[in-house]
Each structure stands twice: as structure tokens, then as C-alpha cells.
Amino acid sequence: MKLAVVGATGLVGSEILEVLAEHNFPFDELLLVASERSAGKKIAFKDKEYTVIGLAQAVSEKPDIAIFSAGGDTSKEWAPKFAEAGTIVVDNSSAWRMDPTKKLVVPEINAKSLKIDDRIIANPNCSTIQMVLALTKLRDRYGIKRVVVSTYQSVTGSGLKAVNQLQDERAGKEGEKAYPHKIDLNVLPHIDVFQDNGYTKEEMKMINETKKIFEDPSIQVTATTVRIPVMGGHSEAVNVEFKEDFDLEEVKELLAATPGVVVEDDVANNVYPMPMNAHKKDEVFVGRLRRDESQPNTLNMWIVADNLRKGAATNAVQIAEYLVKHSLV
């Protein structure tokens, strides 16, 4: 097993390496890959030092699996080259998510759809992953008519430049800006670029990816995505209208039985999901479960996950693990 991590020097790339170590992912050879300007850098992994190589060299090495976290433009250019060389690419960018010829995979939901000839596999958007995972068994039981989601997303979702901006602002220093406005002590209802319909690209990702993952274009989804001055972890307020009525205790049981989901819902003792408690954890945490008393068959829920983990690195590694376990590589 020859494994490549493309974008190994970035925030998500570093997290992928941590998850690979924690999960004891089986490989015989590891290639750490980045842009040509990062080639030659040294990265320590499992008590061994690796030298970062460029993309062209990595393609020539013909890895069995390449986990990409290097941005959409890089994925568009290089993922097909890896695939042509016989590599299975698991891609973290938005480049392939809505391509009808590519699978969009959350392993607990739809990994069974993967086939031996799937050469490029898309990892969904971080906010989408945690929401659909929390909804999957509820959808199976009650059917979903409509979802209204508002997100509260960490600066780590924008990369290292955004983390540095927040830290600089808190320290009262000038520095490079990732956002058009101050982020510390502020809230920005603006993630990714605005589209012609007034929604941001991030909001449209949540809408379109949810429909694709569930293979159900009839689900109505609307989203407002918001950046908040939190260092790690995305939170979501989700209002879901089911096709059938539900029992709240059964909802909790279904969530607790969902692989990768942890229920934290004890408001009498101030227990509910918070991003600081989700840090460095692979699970999706769900709480504040209550009926929407303004209309029938509707549930309010609060969903939190580490966006660099299940929202990116963990999900990608789990896809790779599925490929290995089921002899698809």
C-alpha cells in the first residue's frame, strides 16, 4: 500500500496525518506531497522524517491512494493525472462534488455505492458532512421534507491566514487579512463568494450536496452560513420538517444509534454540544433537541463537529479505510 497525502503542509493536511496515525492506517510507503515551492521541506510523522515532494514526482510514484487537500484548482489539474496513473483520489476540495460522474461520500451513509472503477471520490463540504450524518437515520425513519440551517463556522475553515488574522486582532497587531472585515468580536454572514441569487457559494454547497448525498432532489434546503471568531469547530442550528410525525425519545435513540454521532442533550445540567469540546474529536455531537412548536412534524437540533476532523480529514481517511477493507484498491 503506497499512500500519498497531497497538501501535506496545510491545516487539513496536518490533520490528515494526525488521523492516519490515530487510526493506524495500513500503508507500506507514505508520500507527503505539496506545491513545488514546498518541495524539500521536512515533516515528522510517527517518529520518522519525510521529505515533501512535488506533484509531478508524486504522480510518477503511482500511489495506490492519494488523499487530496490542496484546493480546487490543484485538484482539477492533478487529480485526473493521478487517476490516469492508477491512483484512487479522495479529494477534499469542492472541485468534483457536484460532478455527476463522481461519488460524494460520507462513509456512514453511502460508502456502499463505491465501486472498483471510482478513481476520483469527493469529500463533501465540512458543514454538509456533520448535518447529513446527524440527519441520516431520522430521514430513514420519518422522511425529510425541508431543512433550514444556520451555521456558526470556525476561522479554521478558511485556512491558516484566517487563523493568523484572528490571533493578530486579539493581540492588537497588524497582519495579513483573510476576511474583508475584522473577525475578532464580530460575526460575518459571508462564507465563500456571493452568487447571483444572493446566496454564498458555501450556502449553495450545503443545499446541493445534501440532495446529492441523500439521492433525493425533493428535499428542500435553505442555508445561511456565518463565520464566527472561534478557533476550531463548526456549529449549526438545524430546523428539519419531517414527512411524518416523530417521537422525541425515539429521535434521541436513532441519533445515539447513528455511527459517528454522540448525543449531548441534558439541558437541566447545561450539557449541550460546544465546539471547544469537539476539538480533535472525530464524532458529530448533537443536542438541544426539541419540537418546533410553530408547525407540525418539525424538530430543532444543534449540531457541532471539529471541521478539520469529521468535516475534512477524518471523513477522507474513513473513505480510504473503506476502500482498503472492501478490497477496492
Side-chain angles (χ1 to χ4, degrees):
M1 167 60 64
K2 188 184 289 188
L3 174 68
V5 176
V6 180
T9 58
L11 273 182
V12 176
S14 299
E15 206 72 28
I16 288 169
L17 293 176
E18 283 193 29
V19 175
L20 289 169
E22 290 173 15
H23 287 214
N24 289 313
F25 185 87
F27 63 82
D28 301 297
E29 188 175 346
L30 178 64
L31 306 175
L32 301 188
V33 189
S35 63
E36 294 301 327
R37 68 178 180 272
S38 294
K41 286 186 177 179
K42 306 290 185 182
I43 294 178
F45 177 75
K46 278 193 165 184
D47 300 322
K48 183 177 176 181
E49 190 173 69
Y50 292 81
T51 301
V52 174
I53 63 174
L55 286 149
Q57 182 181 342
V59 171
S60 70
E61 295 277 353
K62 297 185 177 181
D64 298 290
I65 297 174
I67 301 178
F68 266 63
S69 188
D73 291 340
T74 300
S75 293
K76 277 288 188 184
E77 179 181 357
W78 287 95
K81 295 178 182 179
F82 277 85
E84 287 165 14
T87 301
I88 298 177
V89 174
V90 180
D91 182 49
N92 262 304
S93 80
S94 62
W96 307 99
R97 290 175 186 157
M98 297 313 299
D99 185 325
T101 68
K102 305 294 185 290
K103 305 284 175 59
L104 185 63
V105 175
V106 178
E108 297 91 341
I109 299 175
N110 60 349
K112 290 181 180 179
S113 68
L114 292 173
K115 306 296 182 187
I116 194 75
D117 56 350
D118 286 315
R119 296 284 105 182
I120 299 175
I121 302 164
N123 214 41
N125 181 48
C126 48
S127 301
T128 305
I129 289 173
Q130 66 188 71
M131 184 176 76
V132 296
L133 186 56
L135 291 177
T136 184
K137 282 191 178 292
L138 303 182
R139 173 181 171 268
D140 291 344
R141 175 67 177 86
Y142 308 114
I144 292 178
K145 189 174 180 181
R146 183 171 188 253
V147 177
V148 181
V149 54
S150 298
T151 71
Y152 306 74
Q153 295 180 225
S154 158
V155 294
T156 55
S158 303
L160 188 57
K161 187 194 291 188
V163 172
N164 290 339
Q165 178 179 340
L166 176 57
Q167 290 178 327
D168 286 343
E169 289 171 354
R170 289 193 174 170
K173 299 191 311 187
E174 283 298 320
E176 195 176 15
K177 306 292 185 186
Y179 303 121
H181 302 286
K182 183 180 178 183
I183 184 60
D184 191 31
L185 300 177
N186 198 18
V187 169
L188 303 180
H190 175 187
I191 299 180
D192 214 319
V193 295
F194 285 102
Q195 309 292 286
D196 291 341
N197 63 357
Y199 286 78
T200 64
K201 190 176 179 182
E202 182 84 356
E203 289 159 353
M204 295 310 301
K205 287 175 191 174
M206 293 195 75
I207 293 165
N208 295 325
E209 291 176 22
T210 299
K211 295 170 185 277
K212 182 174 179 178
I213 292 165
F214 283 146
E215 298 181 0
D216 187 354
S218 74
I219 295 177
Q220 299 301 299
V221 184
T222 188
T224 302
T225 58
V226 180
R227 190 73 68 191
I228 61 172
V230 166
M231 199 61 75
H234 288 354
S235 305
E236 299 171 348
V238 176
N239 178 274
V240 53
E241 181 182 359
F242 297 113
K243 293 178 180 177
E244 299 177 12
D245 198 11
F246 60 89
D247 176 80
L248 201 54
E249 288 306 311
E250 185 181 45
V251 164
K252 293 178 183 179
E253 291 169 4
L254 289 167
L255 287 166
T258 304
V261 170
V262 175
V263 177
E264 293 183 336
D265 191 53
D266 181 8
V267 293
N269 291 298
N270 298 324
V271 174
Y272 31 72
M274 295 184 292
M276 66 187 300
N277 294 337
H279 186 59
K280 294 292 183 184
K281 294 178 181 173
D282 290 336
E283 296 84 6
V284 171
F285 300 88
V286 183
R288 294 299 320 279
L289 297 160
R290 63 211 186 276
R291 282 186 175 274
D292 178 345
E293 297 180 348
S294 71
Q295 67 173 17
N297 304 350
T298 304
L299 176 74
N300 282 310
M301 57 200 306
W302 177 250
I303 304 170
V304 176
D306 185 327
N307 53 294
L308 296 182
R309 286 278 174 144
K310 185 55 181 172
T314 300
N315 200 75
V317 171
Q318 287 173 327
I319 292 171
E321 288 173 330
Y322 184 92
L323 297 173
V324 172
K325 182 179 179 180
H326 292 85
S327 302
L328 296 176
V329 59

